[in-house]
Structures are given as structure tokens and as C-alpha cells.
Amino acid sequence: MSKTFKSAVTRTGSRNLLVSTDIGMDAGFFLEVQDRHEGTHAICFENRTAPALALAVLEAAGVEPDREPLECQVSLGTIVADLQGTIRYAEALASANREQAELEAEALELFNICAEAQGHSTSDSWETVRPIERKDAWLAVARKAREIGAKK
């Protein structure tokens, strides 16, 4: 997929912006600026950044979010409001995933301390922990350790 946008003609000529799927990237696209005098410059982006990039373009163009979207009509303002919501959701999800990964790492560290103190082998990941050692129990221990640490 590829789309080209021509800029307004300036005294040095015109520029084109090419937006295209980057075949070399598994989940990406690139923006390429083509200038007759300055050559071509490209920037690659991951697909997950597309909503933020689209929002930046719309906001730079002065489009304001619709505070009260009309039910049957889509406007640029509605799109901006939707993109803002999508970006907030993606950021919250990424934050929650990071938090969960940190908690799991702390729980595994606590598990390994306990295992080592009892003369058992330690583990590099939860996938190698025997089923008898329940991950959810160690997650609860890690949460409690955080609570105790926060009180100090």
C-alpha cells in the first residue's frame, strides 16, 4: 500500500510525501519526503505508532476534538477524539503490561530466594517452575512485599 501527497509549490519546487508499507519491516510503515533538490529522506515507524502520528498531523492542522460528537456524522474532530481515546487506552494497556511483568519478575525473585534457602534449584522463568509452586501465590507474596515496602 502506498499513497503520495504533493505539497504546495514553493520557490524551490515541490515536495512529495510518500506513505507506504515498509516491506522490510514486519509491522511497520515509512514516510518518505521526496524533494527535487534535496533528494529523498525516509523515516520508518512501527504500526502501533500510527494513531499517534495521525493525531499529531490532525492537531498540527488545527483540528480540535469534538466535545459532543454528532450521532450520525463523522467529522475530523470526531476522528481526533477517537484517536485520543485509542492512544490513552493503548498507553494504559502498555503500562498495565509493564506493571504485570515487573510484578512477575519480583515474584520469581522471591520464589528463587525461598528455593535457594531450602536448597532447591532456582529458575530463570515461570515456565520452568514446577506446577506445585503456584505462580499466583508468589504473585500475592510479591504484592504484599510491595505493600510492606510502601509503608516504610
Side-chain angles (χ1 to χ4, degrees), residues 63-121:
V63 178
E64 295 288 327
D66 287 343
R67 298 298 172 206
E68 296 179 28
L70 303 172
E71 287 184 28
C72 298
Q73 186 177 6
V74 176
S75 68
L76 288 177
T78 302
I79 293 169
V80 168
D82 288 348
L83 284 170
Q84 288 173 336
T86 298
I87 291 167
R88 280 192 302 273
Y89 174 77
E91 288 170 348
L93 186 60
S95 177
N97 288 340
R98 276 191 307 276
E99 179 67 24
Q100 181 65 24
E102 289 171 7
L103 183 66
E104 288 182 13
E106 291 170 20
L108 185 61
E109 187 176 351
L110 291 168
F111 166 80
N112 282 332
I113 291 168
C114 185
E116 194 171 42
Q118 295 176 353
H120 300 295
S121 61

Side-chain angles (χ1 to χ4, degrees), residues 108 111-112 122-130:
L108 185 61
F111 166 80
N112 282 332
T122 60
S123 180
D124 291 336
S125 72
W126 283 110
E127 286 75 31
T128 60
V129 174
R130 292 191 324 252

Side-chain angles (χ1 to χ4, degrees), residues 100 103 106 110 136 138-148:
Q100 181 65 24
L103 183 66
E106 291 170 20
L110 291 168
D136 57 337
W138 285 102
L139 288 170
V141 170
R143 279 189 204 92
K144 190 64 174 177
R146 281 184 175 184
E147 286 177 27
I148 291 170

